[in-house]
Amino acid sequence: MIPVNIPNITEDDITAVSETLRGGWISGDAPIVSEFEKAFAAAHGQSFGVAVPNGSLAIDFIFRVLDIGPDDEIILPAFAIISCLSEVLRLGATPVFVDSDTVTWNMDVTKVEAAVTEKTKAILAVHTYGLPVDMDSLLAIAKKYEILVIEDAAESHGLQYKDRPCGSMGFASTFSFYANKNITTGEGGMILSSNEKFVSSLRYYRNLAFKPPRRFVHDDIGWNLRFSGLQAALGLSQLQRLDESIRRRREIARAYREALAGIPGLSLAPEEGEFGKNDYWVVGISLDKDCFPPAVEIAERILSAGVQTRPFFYPLHLQPVFKKSSVFLEYHLSVAEWLGDYGLYLPNGLGMSDEQLSEAAQIVAGVFTS
Ligand SMILES: *Cc1c(COP(=O)(O)O)cnc(C)c1O
C-alpha cells in the first residue's frame, strides 16, 4: 500500500538531531530553539518567531493572548481544519463561517465584508492546500473596520502571495510542523509576528509566566508550550531544503496532472492561481457530483487498488459535534459542503520515491477511468 504521506528525513536531519543530542542541551531553553525561530521568521518575512508544540495550539494561543471572549466574533472559512475553530468555541466567542471559492478552495473573499459586524475581532485567513488566499482584499477589509488578520499558514511554508511570503502579512501567523507539512519536526508549530509587545506576551505565557527575579513566584498563570531543542535541530535542518521540498511537491503534482488529464468531471487545483503559484502542499482533486460518487467511496476503491488517499476537510458548520446543540443550522455553504463530500487528496509525501509516484498515479487514473 502506498501511504498518503511519507515524510522525508535525510541523513543531514539525523546528523543535526544527533549533534544536538550529543551536545546535551535539548530543552526549550536550548539556544538552537531561538536560532530556529529566527531563521524561520527571517525566511517568512516576519521579525519574530515563537515555537510551540503544534499548529493547533499556535492558533489557540494567539486567541488566548489576544483575550478573545464571549462578546467577540471571528471570521473564518467553513472549509478548514477543526484547529481553526476549537479555541474560538472554548473561549465562548462566535465563529462566523464564510464559504469557499470553487476553483482555489480558499475562503471566498467577496463574502467576507458582509460577515463583518461590530463584534468582529479578527479574520482567520487560511491558505488552503497550496494556494494563497487573497490577502490584499482581507487586509483592506481589516483596515477599514479595524480588525486583525491572523494567517493560518500551516500548509504554506515557503509559499508566496504575489511577491510576499505567506505568513508575513497578518498581525500574526501560525505554522505547523506535523509530519505531512513542508517542514516537519514530527509535531511542532510556530507563531510569527512583527509586533514586539505581542511576541513578549507569547514568550512569557509560553514559559509558565516565569519572571525575574524569582522563577517560581507568579503574577500570572501561563502554559508550558515550549518547543524542544531536538525539534529545533530537525526544523533548522529541514528549513535548509525548503525550496527543494516545494520543487518536489510541484513535480509530484505534475505527474498526477498528466496521469489524470482529460478525465471529465475531475479537477485539480490550478498550477498557478491569481495570486501565486500552487506549492501543492497536497494534490487535491474535486469531483463533479454528476459524474462521480462521493469521495469516501472513491477513496475506498483507490485503497483496494493499493493507494491511500484522504477525503478533504469536512465543513466546520456541519460537524457532528454540533448536531445535538443545533448551532450553526442557519448556514448553507454550498461550496464548502460540496468540497467536504466530493474532494480528496493523493499521496504526495516528500519521502515518496519516483517509482511509488508513477505507480500511485497509474492506479488512481485507473480507478477514475474504469
Ligand atoms: C495541519 C494544520 C493545522 C494544525 O496543525 P497541527 O500541528 O497538526 O496541530 C492547522 N491549520 C491548518 C490549515 C493545517 O493544515
Side-chain angles (χ1 to χ4, degrees):
M1 201 258 301
I2 298 172
V4 71
N5 180 49
I6 305 171
N8 184 24
I9 302 298
T10 64
E11 285 308 313
D12 284 348
D13 292 345
I14 292 167
T15 304
V17 175
S18 306
E19 275 172 9
T20 300
L21 272 171
R22 287 204 184 86
W25 207 345
I26 58 174
S27 75
D29 305 323
I32 196 163
V33 176
S34 46
E35 203 184 314
F36 177 46
E37 290 174 336
K38 280 190 190 120
F40 192 84
H44 293 87
Q46 290 266 31
S47 313
F48 308 105
V50 181
V52 293
N54 57 64
S56 303
L57 269 169
I59 300 170
D60 297 352
F61 195 33
I62 286 177
F63 287 144
R64 278 280 170 148
V65 174
L66 286 176
D67 228 350
I68 298 301
D71 292 332
D72 301 328
E73 293 179 359
I74 306 291
I75 294 174
L76 73 164
F79 183 64
I81 189 168
I82 195 77
S83 315
C84 296
L85 175 64
S86 313
E87 191 68 8
V88 176
L89 296 178
R90 288 186 204 111
L91 291 168
T94 304
V96 177
F97 299 117
V98 174
D99 207 359
S100 298
D101 180 88
T102 49
V103 175
T104 67
W105 310 330
N106 269 304
M107 182 154 70
D108 182 347
V109 295
T110 64
K111 300 198 167 131
V112 171
E113 188 161 5
V116 175
T117 73
E118 277 171 12
K119 293 181 166 183
T120 309
K121 280 285 147 55
I123 301 170
L124 188 61
V126 187
H127 304 291
T128 305
Y129 288 177
L131 280 173
V133 67
D134 181 7
M135 286 301 293
D136 281 339
S137 296
L138 296 179
L139 291 168
I141 293 168
K143 192 169 171 199
K144 181 168 166 190
Y145 296 97
E146 299 184 336
I147 53 188
L148 296 175
V149 175
I150 310 294
E151 285 176 271
D152 179 352
E155 304 173 357
S156 325
H157 321 57
L159 184 67
Q160 294 282 120
Y161 170 81
K162 297 181 181 174
D163 56 353
R164 287 164 274 165
C166 287
S168 70
M169 296 164 277
F171 169 77
S173 60
T174 64
F175 289 83
S176 163
F177 305 123
Y178 182 64
N180 67 354
K181 310 293 176 164
N182 290 344
I183 289 177
T184 184
T185 61
E187 301 283 350
M190 181 83 78
I191 298 170
L192 299 183
S193 180
S194 291
N195 186 303
E196 199 161 3
K197 202 169 144 222
F198 182 63
V199 168
S200 318
S201 292
L202 293 174
R203 294 211 166 119
Y204 172 61
Y205 287 112
R206 172 180 65 174
N207 196 21
L208 293 169
F210 285 145
K211 185 165 155 179
R214 264 192 80 171
R215 187 175 172 88
F216 298 113
V217 176
H218 297 270
D219 289 335
D220 294 286
I221 296 297
W223 294 263
N224 177 353
L225 298 177
R226 297 185 301 256
F227 185 81
S228 91
L230 297 179
Q231 291 170 294
L234 183 53
L236 207 47
S237 175
Q238 295 240 333
L239 179 59
Q240 310 308 312
R241 54 169 200 280
L242 177 56
D243 289 347
E244 201 182 302
S245 299
I246 290 174
R247 263 201 305 282
R248 177 63 178 160
R249 295 270 203 217
R250 290 183 175 140
E251 200 173 272
I252 293 172
R254 203 167 312 128
Y256 284 121
R257 294 184 72 82
E258 281 166 16
L260 300 173
I263 298 175
L266 182 156
S267 323
L268 284 89
E271 271 184 305
E272 179 117 32
E274 204 183 330
F275 313 108
K277 270 187 175 169
N278 200 329
D279 77 353
Y280 288 105
W281 171 64
V282 295
V283 182
I285 292 176
S286 62
L287 302 170
D288 187 329
K289 18 172 129 175
D290 296 333
C291 306
F292 291 105
V296 281
E297 230 170 277
I298 295 275
E300 262 169 45
R301 282 187 215 165
I302 299 176
L303 186 63
S304 334
V307 176
Q308 186 189 29
T309 59
R310 189 159 290 163
F312 276 3
F313 294 140
Y314 195 68
L316 295 174
H317 61 292
L318 296 183
Q319 294 292 338
V321 61
F322 305 127
K323 276 221 177 102
K324 243 191 282 170
S325 49
S326 301
V327 287
F328 308 142
L329 288 180
E330 76 273 25
Y331 283 102
H332 298 284
L333 303 171
S334 59
V335 180
E337 290 165 20
W338 162 64
L339 290 171
D341 284 338
Y342 288 90
L344 77 166
Y345 56 84
L346 309 174
N348 76 331
L350 292 165
M352 124 186 256
S353 68
D354 286 341
E355 293 70 39
Q356 285 173 313
L357 173 58
S358 55
E359 197 188 334
Q362 236 172 25
I363 289 173
V364 172
V367 170
F368 278 112
T369 49
S370 64

